[in-house]
Amino acid sequence: METTVKNIMTGQLVQKVDLVIAGGAHVGLSLAVSVKKAAPKLHVVVVDAAKCGIWKTDSRTSAIAAATVRMLDMLQCWQSVLPNAEPIREMIVTDSRILDPIRPIFLTFSGNVKPDEPFAYMVENRHLYTSLYHLADELDVKIVEGVQVEKFDMEGQNIRVYLENGVVYKSSLLVGADGVHSNMRNIAGIKTFYKPYEQTGIVCVVAHDRPHNGRAEEHFLSTGPFAILPLKGNRSSLVWIEHNEQAKQLLAADNMLFQTQLEIRFGHHLGRLRVESSPLAYPLGLTLAREFIRPCFALAGDAAHGIHPIAGQGLNLGFRDAAALAEIIVETTRLGLHIGSLVALERYQIWRRFETVRMGVTTDVLNRLFSNDCMPLRVIRDIGLGLVDGMPWLKNYLIQQAAGLIKGSPRLLLGEPI
């Protein structure tokens, strides 16, 4: 419950709350609504440094795994997202050079983990954000937009959070969900392992003449993967990995040259292409926080881990963080214990740290294995892909992993209430 008291020494008004989340994107909002749904008496505040309403113009897209869909459905916001979500019904993997006239398919995946349950959907970020934002508002989550957390410090068993607009919160727990360049992580003094890749990710949306029929394509090229991911209508989302210098040249080039290079990689099987959204670029690297917690403080999402997009698992790892942390917060509350205690938060760190490190290492190895034109490696990986394609049990296991349906997952990801 929120209460306001005055600090006798400074004259500041201090608002007492239960949970402050710094970062109002998908992970921060999903954590807020997960906690509020299960423990409505807790007072939850989301502080977002992004400009008010900027999410409405977000042209980026995300792959939403089946386990995340179950979580969003349990939170009762998936139904409003579904009309704008495209199921991935099939996935193919090729390995070739950029100018090869034919790209042989080495590996194919069926798109379902169960009948009528695709292993993933593609969603434009703004639709997912809209649903989470409105749900948070309905649940009486307080959202403070366009304001940054300036600093925080401990006060007894609580944490005092200072916003740049002069507002001060006294909270049982502060969660940093403010992205890979997390200011919260820096203030907390948590060190990271960082490995830069000599690669840039280019993302954009293209329209095409022919239907994609829900098929996703991952083309392993010498500079990095080129993924074509289906969206609603005759549209696809691209994740185009290039060496840094080549990416700079592509982004600085005129539209005709960019379109030509895109068509060389995309191919002509879906007809004429039209770039629908301005290409966005971001440097790639592996970032792993050495710790996820401090007293009354926890990291979630990209603030805790930033991985290569080769497996499309970045945002889903963040949702898994949110589901795990929400479960721990709610269970701790029901026991009448302090949600910011290290005893409670250590459970979260143990639960999430191993998987995020494992995924970071896995994507790093895959990127090194496939983002090159070394002939011996090409022969080995193509044989490996062919062997996997001939093992239905292994393909099913990989689909289950990609869908996030892993033993020991948080309840929300299994479609169960907290």
Side-chain angles (χ1 to χ4, degrees):
M1 182 174 181
E2 181 180 351
T3 56
T4 304
V5 296
K6 195 167 190 177
N7 188 312
I8 298 174
M9 299 293 291
T10 64
Q12 283 180 314
L13 291 178
V14 180
Q15 299 178 39
K16 179 70 173 72
V17 299
D18 298 296
L19 172 62
V20 175
I21 301 168
H26 302 97
V27 174
L29 287 177
S30 63
L31 173 60
V33 298
S34 298
V35 170
K36 197 68 175 175
K37 271 268 186 186
K41 291 185 179 180
L42 291 184
H43 190 84
V44 181
V45 178
V46 175
V47 181
D48 191 12
K51 292 180 181 178
C52 183
I54 195 171
W55 51 271
K56 295 177 183 177
T57 61
D58 190 349
S59 61
R60 295 171 299 170
T61 63
S62 296
I64 305 300
T68 301
V69 171
R70 292 183 183 186
M71 173 182 175
L72 296 171
D73 193 43
M74 183 58 55
L75 295 175
Q76 298 179 317
C77 71
W78 180 246
Q79 286 306 311
S80 63
V81 176
L82 186 56
N84 298 298
E86 178 67 22
I88 296 178
R89 297 182 174 88
E90 179 190 15
M91 184 170 181
I92 66 166
V93 177
T94 75
D95 186 10
S96 62
R97 294 181 175 88
I98 292 173
L99 296 178
D100 285 354
I102 297 175
R103 289 184 182 157
I105 297 171
F106 288 95
L107 185 58
T108 61
F109 288 104
S110 164
N112 289 345
V113 290
K114 287 183 178 179
D116 300 321
E117 185 179 15
F119 82 89
Y121 285 82
M122 286 300 300
V123 181
E124 291 169 271
N125 284 4
R126 63 179 179 272
H127 298 307
L128 182 55
Y129 187 97
T130 298
S131 181
L132 286 167
Y133 185 94
H134 290 324
L135 179 58
D137 189 53
E138 290 172 11
L139 293 170
D140 201 28
V141 172
K142 185 174 183 178
I143 302 176
V144 182
E145 295 181 274
V147 178
Q148 191 168 340
V149 173
E150 201 168 59
K151 62 178 181 176
F152 53 86
D153 52 42
M154 290 296 296
E155 185 184 80
Q157 290 190 325
N158 295 296
I159 193 164
R160 193 176 288 245
V161 184
Y162 301 82
L163 307 192
E164 62 181 356
N165 63 359
V167 173
V168 181
Y169 290 110
K170 183 179 179 182
S171 178
S172 299
L173 176 63
L174 169 65
V175 176
D178 54 336
V180 71
H181 302 295
S182 172
N183 188 44
M184 298 297 95
R185 186 182 65 219
N186 294 337
I187 295 173
I190 294 176
K191 297 185 182 302
T192 62
F193 167 83
Y194 176 65
K195 177 184 177 179
Y197 297 125
E198 296 300 318
Q199 295 173 311
T200 296
I202 303 171
V203 294
C204 64
V205 173
V206 298
H208 36 77
D209 292 338
R210 301 190 189 111
H212 46 58
N213 297 318
R215 186 169 85 165
E217 303 177 20
E218 181 111 39
H219 300 295
F220 288 120
L221 306 175
S222 57
T223 57
F226 183 91
I228 303 170
L229 305 163
L231 295 174
K232 275 292 180 186
N234 288 0
R235 300 159 63 242
S236 294
S237 172
L238 302 186
V239 181
W240 177 356
I241 310 301
E242 282 287 344
H243 293 313
N244 289 339
E245 208 50 49
Q246 291 171 294
K248 284 181 186 177
Q249 293 172 10
L250 282 166
L251 294 166
D254 58 37
N255 292 339
M256 183 176 292
L257 178 58
F258 183 88
Q259 176 94 10
T260 300
Q261 291 298 316
L262 186 153
E263 288 175 352
I264 289 171
R265 291 159 177 78
F266 194 106
H268 301 282
H269 56 293
L270 295 182
R272 186 166 54 96
L273 303 178
R274 297 172 300 283
V275 179
E276 193 174 82
S277 67
S278 298
L280 300 173
Y282 54 98
L284 300 180
L286 174 62
T287 303
L288 296 171
R290 295 187 181 274
E291 298 169 276
F292 284 15
I293 62 170
R294 285 278 195 270
C296 300
F297 179 80
L299 293 172
D302 285 352
H305 42 75
I307 66 172
H308 197 282
I310 193 168
Q313 289 296 311
L315 181 58
N316 292 294
L317 281 179
F319 277 113
R320 294 178 71 80
D321 292 346
L325 187 52
E327 188 168 320
I328 287 167
I329 290 171
V330 171
E331 288 181 347
T332 304
T333 298
R334 288 171 180 164
L335 292 171
L337 303 175
H338 191 275
I339 64 173
S341 70
L342 277 177
V343 173
L345 296 179
E346 188 63 40
R347 288 181 56 211
Y348 167 67
Q349 178 164 262
I350 292 170
W351 203 349
R352 296 300 306 135
R353 196 157 179 267
F354 176 77
E355 185 194 357
T356 55
V357 170
R358 177 177 61 84
M359 185 59 70
V361 171
T362 299
T363 54
D364 180 69
V365 170
L366 287 174
N367 183 50
R368 281 186 288 157
L369 178 62
F370 285 96
S371 297
N372 63 75
D373 197 26
C374 174
M375 183 53 69
L377 274 180
R378 181 182 291 279
V379 172
I380 291 170
R381 69 198 187 204
D382 291 350
I383 291 173
L385 289 173
L387 289 173
V388 172
D389 198 48
M391 299 179 184
W393 64 269
L394 181 54
K395 286 167 62 171
N396 183 61
Y397 170 79
L398 293 173
I399 282 287
Q400 294 290 325
Q401 292 289 308
L405 302 176
I406 302 168
K407 186 178 179 181
S409 292
R411 285 182 224 153
L412 285 173
L413 294 166
L414 300 174
E416 301 170 2
I418 300 176

